[in-house]
Amino acid sequence: MFQPLEPGSGPRVRVFLDDTPVDLPEGANLAAALLTAGFSPFRTTPVSGAPRLPFCMMGVCFDCLIEIDGIPNRQACLEQVRAGMRLRRQSGAANLEAAE
Amino acid sequence: MIDLAIIGAGPAGLAAAIEARALGLRVTLYDEQPGPGGQIYRDITRPRSDRSAAILGPDYLAGRPLAKAFLASGAGYQPRATVWRIAEDGLSFTAPEGGGDQAAARVLVATGAMERPFAVPGWTLPGVMTAGAAQIMLKTTGTAADGAVFVGTGPLLYLVACQYLDAGMTIAAILDTTTKGALLGAASHLPGALRRPGMLMKGLRMLRRLRRSGVPFHRGVTDVAFEGDQALSAVRWTSGGTAHRLECAHAFLHHGVIPNANMTMAARASHHWDKAQAAWVVDRDAEGRSSLPWLFVAGDGGGIAGAKAAALSGRIAARAIARDLDRGAPDSARLLRDYAAEVAIRPFLDRLYRPAPAFLAPQDDRTVICRCEEVTRGDLARAMQEGCPGPNQFKAFCRAGMGPCQGRMCGPTVVSIMSEISGRSPEDIGYYRIRMPVKPVTLAEVAGLPTERVDGRN
Amino acid sequence: MTAADYIIVGGGIVGASIAYGLARAGESVTLLDQGDVAFRAARGNLGNVWVQGKGVTVPDYADLTRQAALDWPQLAAMLQDETGIDLHFRRPGAAFVCFTEEELQRRGKALAASNADTRIKNTFEVLDRDALAERLPMLGPDVAGGTFSPDDGAANPLFLLRALIAGFIARGGRYLPRHTVTDLARDGQGFVAQTGQGAFRCGRIVLASGLGNAELAPKLGLSAPVRPVRGQILITEKLQPFLPVNVSFIRQTVEGGCIIGESSEEVGTDDGTTLPILRETARRAITVFPMLARARVVRAWGALRIMTPTGVPVYQSRDGAFVVCVHSGVTLAPWHAMGLIPHLVAGRFDPQTFRSFQPEDADVPAA
């Protein structure tokens, strides 16, 4: 588990993680915040259904893909925590029909 | 129309933007992250505690004045932007506030480095990440994981381990894969390295610190494999002629860094195989000119040289661009001398920390080499038996490199394995033909249609 | 110098189909191919096994296409059996989307006319937007309708190529990639092909090197008036299955990605991509399926198709040398691997049988 080295002092905001409300540090890197919150896995692969978590944290491995506000396959390591975000585990291939 | 579009807000891109502004150029810098710094100075502008600053150290904090100078330079700045196309006419990008096209006379690619893929059995398991990723966790959210295993070789691996110790974290083990041959081979490059004795001493201090810390330090590690069902549960390896197994929930891998060359490849600039760095590198002259008249490259994206050299190469490129555009610029002789001194240690480091052949080209057929399409070493070996002549035919036949990472995580390994099996050189084997978009963007973004606002920020 | 009964020049889908077919027939065959980077039309291909609208004014070509489409299940089963490679061949039918009422009417008439003089009839329906939407639930509102044919299908062209080469090797064929043919000549009763890796001798030679045919064919008294036509293709990330039947220019692969492409440009051998074409292709795809607006494009590329002046294939022979110029290598693969083989073994493409497939400037003697 990733744990904070110091008690967090900044504001936290409410997001929804697979419909469950969770409070995360506002403006934090989303992938880092989710890892620290114990969200696992971020996704399952479309090929074998294997679980994945962020690997590179810098935008090149595409293993941190999650669904954000109805848009599938977003790179969580390139996003920041914002109040009201609706986050979903990415299960296999993108589902665009659900977002219609 | 601007004079210069810069891609990447690491030391090379920031220094180039500052220099180009000082020379009167109209400049816009595009970067994926919300703040300047790139990966080496990731999140550098965020206020942080004395403790956090102490853990990350002075080399990291050196990025602060650079980022500050950039933000004050008057350069245009588009953070959170993904540049997906570059061409003679400029670039196309996406951003939360809406993307678009930007006409530019010159494009400077400063997209930096990425960690070399470390394909071993089980490296896709949750809990396995790169050492650079562990460091980004420290830089961005100040978080760390207890009981991790550090695996690999290279300065960044030792640096992150030292930072973990400074942070009071326990480390389960350090599995050092540096080879004896590399130590011997590197010795001949010692005279060059001694032109930068400070860097050499820094490295030795880190290693001494780790060895004296009480953390189990295994040398000459081979045959690394990770185990676990839904997540990492143990690591296996061989060292000292013995097989080992250690239970762990976190493993941080590192086998050095290589240029992140997808952008220059997609632009169809010419590249060469750099034997010393064991990587494909864009061709550039001393001032950063690529084979394409409109395209310049600075920083580690054009060959690994480190943060200080990257900043120098950014300034040098900015001056060359100003001269190209008939805007005039001071002579770069002094900067070029400083650059040469800065990179004098590279042959030593490149040799010392070049991963063992068995890591560059994994031997175990079950090893996943393409993380996106889950293509294994065995798939590649079979395709080669069927006469597959190179990486592009392999991509076509087995889908390796067709996923969202666009070959970044498998290309180097595919080339190494093909070279190992066929006996042909990497330059003869070639590389994937990288295409636009340089990163996946939506069809609406390609179409130039307004994308509906969905992130709740309207 | 090495001898073989047959040399096939070109290891794309057309050359590999013929090589595989000849090897199946027990012939000794060497397949000379380019290296890893070739103008490989297989890579620029949607993989459609496409019948509707093909050979509208040339009944022989329409029949050739239709027979090949009918034979596709047999080829797919045979190759899977021999190589274990699933070609992802499916035939749920496919639709051709029209954006205006006028285009729809014109298309319906053309398809009706295409059945007039053919041996095999193409089944199709002309559907207005709502009727088409019953087959394509995610269809957008700004579509006039389309034609639907149950005769159309698709396969993975890359897996087809892989299986053909694997099957060829398994049948004893000699596959030599990185052997680009630089020169050809008649040599007594046979031929000699020069490559960077040495010379190869054979009794018969088949030119199936796509655009390369244009330069090679005249060396053997044959004619290959082919020119490159660039198509720009986009492919999306993997999506949950949403396309029960494919659309002419949008195919959802079995893996889930959508291949999108319909452009054609005459730009020589430049196989790059351009923003205006990618943009227009993306816009049309979004018009047909609005949900695709949110699908991520992972690659875009330009591929060169092989076009003859009339768009009809060329099959020509002269004294043991054969040339095949085709832009529909996927659809016609069963024909090349099976139906065409006896003609090659017989030693000539009989000008009468192949009368609709001679180059316009052919000077081949009638006998």
Side-chain angles (χ1 to χ4, degrees), chain B residues 101 268 373 382 386 390-393 396 402 406 424 428 433 435-436 440-444 446-447 452, chain C residues 36 40 43 83 158-159 162 169 175 177-178 238 271 279 283 292-301:
Chain B
D101 305 321
R268 295 188 166 190
E373 297 288 340
R382 183 188 159 191
E386 291 170 7
N392 290 289
Q393 193 84 312
M402 285 192 176
Q406 301 168 309
R424 293 161 56 204
D428 185 38
R433 295 190 80 186
R435 313 287 188 160
M436 308 291 176
V441 291
T442 64
L443 215 52
V446 173
E452 60 202 283
Chain C
D36 189 46
R40 192 69 95 198
R43 296 185 191 144
T83 67
L158 303 172
F159 295 173
R162 183 181 185 188
I169 292 171
Y175 174 56
R178 303 165 66 229
K238 292 185 175 73
D271 65 350
R279 204 149 259 180
R283 282 182 184 167
L292 283 179
R294 291 189 302 280
R296 266 160 228 284
V297 176
V298 290
R299 272 189 315 289
W301 67 96

Side-chain angles (χ1 to χ4, degrees), chain B residues 238-458:
Chain B
T238 303
S239 63
T242 326
H244 301 263
R245 182 176 184 277
L246 178 65
E247 293 194 359
C248 60
H250 291 275
F252 303 142
L253 315 184
H254 186 72
H255 264 163
V257 294
I258 56 175
N260 190 349
N262 272 43
M263 182 88 66
T264 49
M265 284 185 169
R268 295 188 166 190
S270 64
H271 290 67
H272 65 275
W273 175 258
D274 184 321
K275 209 168 177 178
Q277 302 197 340
W280 282 97
V281 179
V282 68
D283 295 331
R284 60 170 173 175
D285 69 9
E287 296 190 306
R289 283 183 194 81
S290 76
S291 61
L292 303 169
W294 54 272
L295 180 65
F296 283 67
V297 184
D300 278 359
I304 303 306
K308 284 185 184 164
L312 288 167
S313 73
R315 293 183 64 193
I316 293 165
R319 289 185 182 185
I321 289 164
R323 263 181 249 118
D324 266 21
L325 298 176
D326 292 327
R327 307 290 276 279
D331 178 78
S332 293
R334 168 93 191 273
L335 294 178
L336 287 165
R337 270 201 307 279
D338 290 349
Y339 181 86
E342 199 58 50
V343 300
I345 197 174
R346 286 317 310 181
F348 174 78
L349 293 177
D350 290 341
R351 186 63 197 96
L352 181 58
Y353 296 124
R354 190 187 306 155
F359 282 113
L360 291 174
Q363 310 286 308
D364 187 329
D365 270 349
R366 292 163 307 172
T367 310
V368 168
I369 51 177
C370 167
R371 296 173 66 96
C372 297
E373 297 288 340
E374 300 180 53
V375 181
T376 65
R377 197 252 182 212
D379 295 326
L380 175 50
R382 183 188 159 191
M384 289 184 72
Q385 275 170 8
E386 291 170 7
C388 179
N392 290 289
Q393 193 84 312
F394 176 56
K395 177 176 171 182
F397 284 178
C398 294
R399 300 190 54 82
M402 285 192 176
C405 96
Q406 301 168 309
R408 288 171 175 87
M409 301 304 290
C410 66
T413 314
V414 166
V415 171
S416 296
I417 294 174
M418 283 197 148
S419 175
E420 197 242 313
I421 291 181
S422 68
R424 293 161 56 204
S425 66
E427 52 265 66
D428 185 38
I429 284 167
Y431 196 75
Y432 293 140
R433 295 190 80 186
I434 302 299
R435 313 287 188 160
M436 308 291 176
V438 182
K439 286 201 125 186
V441 291
T442 64
L443 215 52
E445 287 160 342
V446 173
L449 300 172
T451 316
E452 60 202 283
R453 298 291 294 122
V454 286
D455 60 10
R457 300 212 307 168
N458 263 9

Side-chain angles (χ1 to χ4, degrees), chain C residues 51-75:
Chain C
V51 167
Q52 57 165 306
K54 280 257 183 76
V56 162
T57 57
V58 184
D60 282 350
Y61 179 33
D63 274 328
L64 198 67
T65 296
R66 292 169 191 186
Q67 185 60 52
L70 290 173
D71 292 339
W72 241 99
Q74 189 192 340
L75 178 71

Side-chain angles (χ1 to χ4, degrees), chain C residues 133-179:
Chain C
E134 284 176 26
R135 295 188 187 275
L136 298 167
M138 305 309 288
L139 195 67
D142 299 327
V143 164
T147 55
F148 174 82
S149 170
D151 301 338
D152 295 322
N156 182 320
L158 303 172
F159 295 173
L160 168 63
L161 180 59
R162 183 181 185 188
L164 287 167
I165 291 174
F168 171 65
I169 292 171
R171 291 273 187 170
R174 193 153 162 250
Y175 174 56
L176 298 177
R178 303 165 66 229
H179 281 69

Side-chain angles (χ1 to χ4, degrees), chain A residues 6-80:
Chain A
E6 299 169 277
S9 54
R12 294 172 87 84
V13 291
R14 179 146 297 185
V15 305
F16 298 89
L17 208 49
D18 286 335
D19 295 324
T20 306
V22 180
D23 293 338
L24 297 178
E26 183 170 27
N29 178 278
L30 180 61
L34 289 174
L35 272 177
T36 306
F39 182 61
S40 178
F42 275 38
R43 68 178 186 119
T44 55
T45 64
V47 176
S48 73
R52 293 284 171 89
L53 281 182
F55 180 74
C56 78
M57 290 296 289
M58 54 167 282
V60 297
C61 79
F62 289 76
D63 264 324
C64 64
L65 301 176
I66 60 165
E67 185 184 304
I68 304 176
D69 295 325
I71 304 284
N73 284 340
R74 305 268 297 263
Q75 289 181 275
C77 76
L78 298 180
E79 297 288 332
Q80 290 74 50

